[in-house]
Amino acid sequence: VALPAYQDYTARAQSAEGSTLADGVKKEVEFTFSQDKSCPDNKSAPAGQIATAALITGKYVSSITTGGTSAADGTGGCTVEVLFKSTNVATGIAGKKLTYTMLQQNNTTSWPCTSDLDAKIKPKTCS
């Protein structure tokens, strides 16, 4: 009984690294978008102050990729995708993703999240 609970706890703790790293990247995406109404793309090269996706890593995070398409009305649509490593991580997060999508309404920015992580191990910022 205790082992599955511990495995879930470990996966949840490791997944928190993804949301923490994404927070810094989201701030840079917002800044870029506010300046030129476009979404920075760091898949293969740095985008402004955002490093190339493969260079934004952590102990459990493989990469953080920015992209997306800004909406015609200038309300966002930029994305920040966190990819977790496939090895040397908790089974529940191996190769999984968190995707934050920027929405802007009434001068307010929010970042709804989707994920293929099991609900019991998703970070609270992705509910």
Side-chain angles (χ1 to χ4, degrees):
V1 173
L3 186 58
Y6 178 74
Q7 290 171 335
D8 289 348
Y9 169 80
T10 301
R12 201 170 37 254
Q14 291 179 5
S15 73
E17 179 186 69
S19 62
T20 300
L21 288 173
D23 284 345
V25 175
K26 290 187 295 188
K27 287 178 181 25
E28 289 298 327
V29 169
E30 285 181 41
F31 178 76
T32 299
F33 186 79
S34 71
Q35 296 297 309
D36 59 18
K37 298 296 185 223
S38 68
C39 299
D41 182 344
N42 75 335
K43 288 178 190 76
S44 57
Q49 297 297 313
I50 304 170
T52 305
L55 297 178
I56 306 173
T57 65
K59 187 171 183 179
Y60 311 110
V61 171
S62 175
S63 65
I64 297 186
T65 305
T66 61
T69 305
S70 59
D73 63 359
T75 57
C78 302
T79 58
V80 173
E81 181 181 88
V82 176
L83 175 63
F84 291 99
K85 293 180 179 180
S86 296
T87 58
N88 299 320
V89 297
T91 305
I93 69 166
K96 304 285 184 161
K97 295 178 185 176
L98 297 171
T99 303
Y100 296 91
T101 303
M102 185 177 79
L103 297 175
Q104 290 189 326
Q105 296 176 323
N106 304 322
N107 296 321
T108 302
T109 302
S110 62
W111 287 90
C113 177
T114 57
S115 178
D116 56 357
L117 289 171
D118 190 281
K120 63 187 172 188
I121 60 173
K122 276 189 211 176
K124 291 188 184 227
T125 60
C126 188
S127 45

